[in-house]
């Protein structure tokens, strides 16, 4: 377990803190996304996690042990937290296999043991065909996978990746995503990645920490946060199925007693059945106005704006709220006027 307690850091010559009381828990065999806009403190946090920087106050521990500040520049030395920076810090004079072998050499593995471990990591990271290639022949996304292999070779039990964006998102072909999936599922490691790309969180992350201005706005399991009323995570991750900002024009043509409702449904079963069930159970009239479904963390999440009318409306809303979904009435500026 990686635990961060009340981490605070202000960079030299800065008035505002880069990290202001950050708390984080990342479990083994999970991927935790540190999600926030540029300047929100993601890199500052990750550098403290990896022992590359020291915080002004607070604690970072792995399995209860404080993470020590890294000293010296011995690339490939053994580290419990493997840091994969935005730009590569690899050995450009060595081949792909040579880069993975270096931490094993430094740790005193003999030649046969080294070859076995290097072969395993080449397979895990999908780089077997590039084993003898020079780094100059690799694409940026392949270099990122090599960095992961090197961090694993250095004995990381926690893998920290900065700025995971186009490499994992729709533009990157998904090879790094597959590797991280295997690191989580097959090796059971804790992965923490920083991103400002909601697609990366939707596709890969079990947990999320939403950062802004160095503060945690919201954190927890992604699917739990999505099922919370007015969740910040839902607002950020469900942008492909965002409801229109203004409710007013949608009311045209609806019955006078209709109420407009936004509902977030989590899981295949909920998406497929909850709204029709509410209609049949409570005898309400429901009209679908906008929204859709999007895959998140291996399941389906739906966000819909619907109008509901009929005597059973209140009971239907209470029932929906008691299921695995978030539901709230849309504030309608035209009604308030
Ligand atoms: N070495 C530094 N010296 C001074 N200020 C810094 C330093 N590193 C970061 N900062 C400042 O700290 C704040 C947080 O920066 P940080 O790089 O951690 O955010 P970020 O979310 O990773 O941003 P990005 O996505 O652009 O990398 C910003 O205001 C930034 O300008």
């Amino acid at each position: 377990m990686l635990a961060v307690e009340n981490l605070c850091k202000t960079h030299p010559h800065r008035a505002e803190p880069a990290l202001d009381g950050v708390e984080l828990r990342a479990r083994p065999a999970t991927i935790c996304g540190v999600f926030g806009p540029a300047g929100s403190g993601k890199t500052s946090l990750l550098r403290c996690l990896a022992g590359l920087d020291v915080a002004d106050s607070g604690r970072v521990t792995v399995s209860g042990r404080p993470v020590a500040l890294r000293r010296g520049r011995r690339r490939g030395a053994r580290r419990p937290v493997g840091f994969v920076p935005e730009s590569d810090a690899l050995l450009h004079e060595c081949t792909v296999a040579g880069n993975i072998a270096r931490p094993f050499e430094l740790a005193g593995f003999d030649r046969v043991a080294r070859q076995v471990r290097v072969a395993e990591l080449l397979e895990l990271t999908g780089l077997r065909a590039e084993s003898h290639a020079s780094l100059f022949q690799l694409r940026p996304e392949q270099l990122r996978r090599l960095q992961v292999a090197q961090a694993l070779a250095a004995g990381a039990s926690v893998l920290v990746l900065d700025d995971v964006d186009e490499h994992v998102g729709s533009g990157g072909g998904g090879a790094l995503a597959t590797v991280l999936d295997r690191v989580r599922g097959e090796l059971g490691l804790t992965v923490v990645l920083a991103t400002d790309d909601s697609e990366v969180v939707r596709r890969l992350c079990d947990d999320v920490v939403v950062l802004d201005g160095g503060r945690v706005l919201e954190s927890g399991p992604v699917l739990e946060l999505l099922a919370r009323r007015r969740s910040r995570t839902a607002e950020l991750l469900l942008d492909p199925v965002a409801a229109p900002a203004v409710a007013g024009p949608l009311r045209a043509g609806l019955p006078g007693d209709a109420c407009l409702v936004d509902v977030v449904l989590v899981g295949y079963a909920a998406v497929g059945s909850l709204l029709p069930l509410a209609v049949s159970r409570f005898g309400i009239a429901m009209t679908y106005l906008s929204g859709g479904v999007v895959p998140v963390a291996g399941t389906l999440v739906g966000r819909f704006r619907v109008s509901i009318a009929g005597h059973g409306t209140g009971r239907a809303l209470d029932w929906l709220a008691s299921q695995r979904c978030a539901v709230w009435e849309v504030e309608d500026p035209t009604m308030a006027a």
Side-chain angles (χ1 to χ4, degrees):
M1 165 80 86
L2 169 75
V4 174
E5 290 163 42
N6 198 21
L7 214 63
C8 298
K9 181 167 183 68
T10 302
H11 289 288
H13 316 297
R14 290 278 170 171
E16 298 297 321
L19 300 173
D20 189 2
V22 171
E23 304 268 333
L24 183 155
R25 298 271 178 287
R27 299 164 287 147
T30 62
I31 299 180
C32 173
V34 176
F35 182 46
S40 57
K42 302 183 295 296
T43 302
S44 302
L45 173 60
L46 264 51
R47 288 183 61 83
C48 291
L49 298 188
L52 289 163
D53 241 341
V54 68
D56 301 335
S57 61
R59 250 161 67 95
V60 180
T61 55
V62 175
S63 308
R65 288 213 190 109
V67 171
L69 188 64
R70 288 189 189 198
R71 295 189 194 283
R73 299 186 136 264
R74 278 211 317 161
R75 285 177 294 179
R78 298 196 80 66
R79 316 247 186 232
V81 181
F83 185 61
V84 177
E86 193 181 349
S87 57
D88 84 77
L90 295 159
L91 305 163
H92 283 258
E93 65 280 16
C94 298
T95 62
V96 167
N99 268 273
I100 304 176
R102 179 58 63 88
F104 293 122
E105 283 165 19
L106 290 171
F109 283 60
D110 66 35
R111 200 171 59 85
V112 175
R114 260 195 335 257
Q115 281 174 347
V116 170
R117 299 303 313 279
V118 169
E120 284 168 2
L121 289 173
L122 285 168
E123 192 279 323
L124 181 90
T125 50
L127 291 170
R128 205 161 41 186
E130 288 76 23
S131 164
H132 300 295
S134 138
L135 302 204
F136 302 104
Q137 295 170 272
L138 298 191
R139 299 189 302 271
E141 176 274 329
Q142 290 174 312
L143 287 171
R144 217 86 207 278
R145 281 188 274 146
L146 178 56
Q147 288 176 283
V148 170
Q150 201 186 52
L152 296 176
S157 63
V158 175
L159 196 60
V160 172
L161 296 95
D162 200 7
D163 204 20
V164 177
D165 288 336
E166 73 269 30
H167 305 290
V168 166
S170 43
L176 181 61
T178 305
V179 171
L180 296 181
D181 211 14
R182 293 188 68 184
V183 167
R184 162 176 59 187
E186 294 172 28
L187 305 184
L189 262 60
T190 304
V191 179
V192 179
L193 60 83
T195 187
D196 59 5
D197 184 346
S198 55
E199 170 65 14
V200 172
V201 181
R202 278 194 297 272
R203 179 159 177 192
L204 267 182
C205 296
D206 305 289
D207 298 331
V208 69
V209 173
V210 182
L211 265 192
D212 200 13
R215 288 179 156 269
V216 176
L217 297 185
E218 202 167 73
S219 67
V222 174
L223 294 177
E224 272 180 45
L225 293 174
L226 290 180
R228 261 188 217 167
R229 189 169 192 261
R230 291 182 190 280
S231 131
R232 185 91 175 104
T233 304
E235 199 181 299
L236 293 165
L237 296 193
L238 300 184
D239 48 335
V241 288
V246 180
L250 289 169
R251 293 198 69 90
L254 295 177
D257 67 338
C259 72
L260 282 179
V261 171
D262 278 342
V263 53
V264 174
L265 305 160
V266 178
Y268 285 92
V271 169
S273 64
L274 278 184
L275 294 181
L277 263 174
V279 169
S280 59
R281 258 177 110 136
F282 300 99
I284 51 173
M286 187 179 287
T287 309
Y288 164 87
L289 300 169
S290 64
V293 294
V294 67
V296 181
T299 189
L300 215 54
V301 174
R303 169 150 79 180
F304 302 101
R305 178 163 289 178
V306 295
S307 80
I308 302 182
H311 292 307
T313 297
R315 281 180 298 125
L317 292 181
D318 288 345
W319 178 78
L320 281 170
S322 73
Q323 305 300 308
R324 201 177 173 204
C325 69
V327 55
W328 64 94
E329 218 171 314
V330 179
E331 282 149 21
D332 184 345
T334 59
M335 296 300 281

